[in-house]
Amino acid sequence: MSSNLLVNGDFSQGTTGWTLPSACFAIDPSTLAPNGAASLEMSDSAACGNPTPIAVNSLKVSGGEVYTLTGQIKTEDYIGENSGAGAMFFLYDFARSPIFNGTTDWTSVTLQHVPVSAGKTASLRLQTYDPVPTGNSWFANLSLQQEIPPGLQMFLLYPNYRGLMFSDQSQVASLDLTVTPAAGTSLASLQVVI
């Protein structure tokens, strides 16, 4: 896994790296994340002048890669105009967290193996799903990491899964190998010894 690609995903630098309507998003010094980190509060969504207030991280994710998205959400009396309304975070067009409403304590969400199509870009957004005129929600410890494939993957084709070679069968092992060179390394410079 790569390091966190988001710009200020833990809000340790306030709202730096985020584009948001200041009327309904703010750092909340009295509601800290479970690890003591800062949290971003979303409240009074009607004040934003848009039924779905959106905060967008400045990172634009490259396509053709696979990512893991994690974060934490908390809600308090977060009641929307319908039962499906609530707070969520998502990698725009590719994956989203569950929708949180009502009153919930800090909940961690992890979305693994999120592919972003080649030729596309994606942004991380914090927002409501449908209007939520009452209550508050908080976001904390957001992270987006690229899933880096292992350098060597091997699958034993023959002999069978028990590793038994029978005397009347081939005595040659058969393997499926996938080698993924690290950045800056060519496949020709590597050697696999079995």
Side-chain angles (χ1 to χ4, degrees):
M1 299 282 267
S2 73
S3 59
N4 188 359
L5 302 174
L6 294 177
V7 179
N8 190 29
D10 62 358
F11 305 109
S12 60
Q13 300 168 8
T15 57
T16 299
W18 292 88
T19 302
L20 44 86
S22 59
C24 55
F25 284 96
I27 297 297
D28 182 358
S30 63
T31 306
L32 298 177
N35 66 350
S39 70
L40 182 70
E41 180 181 15
M42 178 169 51
S43 61
D44 193 13
S45 61
C48 289
N50 183 331
T52 55
I54 300 172
V56 182
N57 193 267
S58 60
L59 170 77
K60 299 295 183 212
V61 173
S62 300
E65 303 294 344
V66 178
Y67 299 90
T68 292
L69 174 60
T70 61
Q72 295 176 310
I73 297 181
K74 175 180 177 173
T75 59
E76 183 177 280
D77 299 326
Y78 211 56
I79 310 298
E81 295 177 0
N82 65 60
S83 61
M88 65 178 183
F89 62 83
F90 73 118
L91 195 56
Y92 188 63
D93 274 348
F94 296 99
R96 73 175 189 191
S97 72
I99 296 168
F100 292 84
N101 52 30
T103 298
T104 60
D105 201 359
W106 283 110
T107 304
S108 296
V109 176
T110 298
L111 306 171
Q112 294 180 308
H113 318 307
V114 178
V116 174
S117 307
K120 301 279 188 176
T121 58
S123 58
L124 180 80
R125 298 181 178 201
L126 314 176
Q127 71 174 72
T128 63
Y129 183 83
D130 285 342
V132 181
T134 62
N136 305 307
S137 63
W138 294 265
F139 299 90
N141 296 314
L142 296 158
S143 174
L144 183 68
Q145 297 173 282
Q146 182 182 338
E147 295 180 10
I148 300 169
L152 176 67
Q153 297 178 64
M154 181 179 77
F155 182 77
L156 181 63
L157 300 172
Y158 175 82
N160 66 18
Y161 69 95
R162 292 187 186 113
L164 300 175
M165 290 184 140
F166 299 98
S167 61
D168 61 343
Q169 301 289 322
S170 171
Q171 300 300 298
V172 177
S174 178
L175 308 168
D176 179 33
L177 291 175
T178 302
V179 179
T180 306
T185 305
S186 70
L187 189 58
S189 68
L190 301 175
Q191 181 180 12
V192 176
V193 178
I194 300 172

